[in-house]
Amino acid sequence: MKKEHWDESEIENLLKQSPKVTDNRSKEEVFQRLLDEGAFSEQSPQPQKKVVKPKGIRWTPLIASIASLFLIVVFARQFIGSSNNVAQDQASEALTESSLKMADSAAKNERLALPEEASSFSLDESLAAHTLVYESQLQDVTLFTIGLSGDNAESVPVSFLIPNEIVNEKLGTTAPTKLQLYEAFAPLIDEEGRGFREFHPFKGKFLEKDGELVHQLPKDHPYDTSLGALSNYTGTLIDTFSDDYEQVYLENMDGASIDLDYVGEVKEPISLRSSSEKYNYYAYQMSTGAVYLSPNFRMSYSTVEEALQNMTTEANDIYRTVILPNVTYTVKSDKNVVTVKFDNELDLQQFDAIEVMRMIEGILMTAAQFDRQVKFEQIVQEEWNGFNFTGPLDKPIAANIFYY
């Protein structure tokens, strides 16, 4: 671990992943404590001296070591080919209500624009927009998935539905490879304009060799400047290319093996999808207020039961559980369907409609990772906002939808 690569903002982001501190005292206990300390006395409060906080936070070497150890374990799985799989929490979820607008012209600054974020909540279920993509929606459109860089330098998976006629006009085919789609449309996305960090297109050059993906990186690439940069790089590769490729090989521009800081020589390809490592989904909120479904730091699970049960856990301050407050359930899975049975009868009308939608879609996306449909039990309503709970729900194929 190179000390010169650590900076204060990175360590602060790492520490945000630590478990939340909770206060279990009742309101009465807190109120009595305030009374005892004279918080409501009539005496004029004494002026306090202004406390000037230092501009930087000086962390001890011990904290830095613990934080670095956490990420080294994560990257060891991807780059060094470790066989030890750690079951972990994850996910995040996305909500946005307007549609993607694209200028398909020869204008100089042609770019894709993401929709306006939802800024208010309502009990009206009609305002809880669906954000997942289903197979039935792929009539005369092409699905383009990509990972965009969030506020905390973590990839957020989003999905664009582009009319086939536009794809054919740009690429000369309605059945392009994922790499062709990426190279044609990724440069058009206005990432910063909608609150994401500028990231795409990837530096260097991509090649397809025998059905596998190769990423040739230039010497000045930014993907190993910090552990956070490495995490974002691997996350965006997974969110962008995992549908069509199982792994990606990293090379120098001349085709030789490459060395990455914090990792060393990269001898193994980066796994983009694995039958033994699947994610569950949490809510990731951007500084703009938009909320997206997203994996929780790529923490993975080997079974659908474990992934769904762990969604009730608040893992950190960046990714929030999508499960409604005080709601618990049991999980039972067969070959094609996983049954989620709520412990107490759940009346969806008693909750915020957007939060209900987020929970349902988060569970659906998590089960879809394991190629399962979901059957909900113990819900008062038989139908709600387009969902029919009398049978298994359709299996989604992607999250965080944007229309052309």
Side-chain angles (χ1 to χ4, degrees), residues 70 74-75 77-78 86-92 146-149 153-158 230-240 242 271-272 277-282 293-301 316 319 369:
F70 171 80
V74 174
F75 289 117
R77 292 207 325 243
Q78 287 289 348
V86 181
Q88 305 162 328
D89 301 273
Q90 42 170 272
S92 318
I146 187 172
L148 300 183
S149 184
E154 285 294 321
S155 178
V156 178
V158 301
L230 272 173
S231 176
N232 194 31
Y233 173 60
T234 56
T236 51
L237 284 173
I238 291 170
D239 289 337
T240 303
S242 62
S271 175
L272 300 179
E277 295 185 3
K278 306 293 184 181
Y279 311 126
N280 59 14
Y281 281 75
Y282 278 64
L293 279 173
S294 184
N296 175 20
F297 291 111
R298 307 287 154 184
M299 296 180 181
S300 60
Y301 300 90
N316 50 67
Y319 295 99
Q369 287 273 304

Side-chain angles (χ1 to χ4, degrees), residues 157-382:
V158 301
S159 309
F160 298 102
L161 294 184
I162 306 173
N164 287 342
E165 58 184 288
I166 301 300
V167 174
N168 186 54
E169 181 179 321
K170 288 185 174 294
L171 298 174
T173 177
T174 56
T177 66
K178 184 56 181 286
L179 180 56
Q180 288 175 318
L181 272 177
Y182 176 82
E183 292 177 338
F185 293 99
L188 308 181
I189 301 174
D190 184 5
E191 298 163 86
E192 289 185 336
R194 295 299 177 178
F196 291 93
R197 295 161 57 125
E198 191 72 28
F199 187 88
H200 293 283
F202 285 100
K203 306 298 182 184
K205 180 173 64 174
F206 283 98
L207 304 172
E208 288 178 309
K209 292 183 179 179
D210 300 323
E212 298 291 352
L213 191 64
V214 178
H215 191 189
Q216 294 186 332
L217 295 169
K219 292 182 179 180
D220 60 346
H221 73 83
Y223 305 130
D224 63 349
T225 56
S226 68
L227 288 172
L230 272 173
S231 176
N232 194 31
Y233 173 60
T234 56
T236 51
L237 284 173
I238 291 170
D239 289 337
T240 303
F241 294 112
S242 62
D243 288 345
D244 283 30
Y245 308 96
E246 292 187 357
Q247 52 195 12
V248 56
Y249 292 84
L250 303 186
E251 299 178 347
N252 287 321
M253 295 301 291
D254 60 2
S257 62
I258 192 170
D259 289 315
L260 296 178
D261 283 352
Y262 305 99
V263 174
E265 183 179 2
V266 180
K267 298 180 179 180
E268 300 291 334
I270 298 176
S271 175
L272 300 179
R273 62 183 181 211
S274 169
S275 59
S276 61
E277 295 185 3
K278 306 293 184 181
Y279 311 126
N280 59 14
Y281 281 75
Y282 278 64
Y284 178 79
Q285 183 166 351
M286 300 282 289
S287 60
T288 59
V291 182
Y292 299 91
L293 279 173
S294 184
N296 175 20
F297 291 111
R298 307 287 154 184
M299 296 180 181
S300 60
Y301 300 90
S302 58
T303 68
V304 65
E305 293 91 345
E306 185 182 19
L308 289 171
Q309 290 288 7
N310 277 278
M311 288 178 67
T312 60
T313 304
E314 283 283 13
N316 50 67
D317 288 331
I318 296 177
Y319 295 99
R320 297 179 293 116
T321 179
V322 299
I323 306 304
L324 296 169
N326 303 316
V327 170
T328 57
Y329 51 81
T330 58
V331 178
K332 183 178 180 181
S333 178
D334 60 25
K335 184 177 181 180
N336 299 311
V337 178
V338 57
T339 300
V340 175
K341 183 178 181 179
F342 295 103
D343 294 337
N344 298 303
E345 194 173 46
L346 187 63
D347 184 356
L348 303 183
Q349 297 299 331
Q350 300 303 312
F351 297 91
D352 184 288
I354 294 178
E355 293 181 355
V356 171
M357 177 65 76
R358 194 170 294 148
M359 179 183 73
I360 293 172
E361 292 193 328
I363 291 175
L364 290 178
M365 273 304 299
T366 299
Q369 287 273 304
F370 297 85
D371 197 25
R372 301 288 205 283
Q373 292 179 270
V374 176
K375 170 69 168 65
F376 287 101
E377 294 184 355
Q378 281 274 76
I379 294 180
V380 172
Q381 292 77 17
E382 290 189 354

Side-chain angles (χ1 to χ4, degrees), residues 38-58:
F40 301 101
S41 65
E42 296 182 357
Q43 296 181 0
S44 300
Q46 297 297 319
Q48 297 181 354
K49 293 182 180 180
K50 183 177 180 180
V51 179
V52 180
K53 295 183 179 180
K55 294 183 179 179
I57 301 175
R58 300 183 180 276

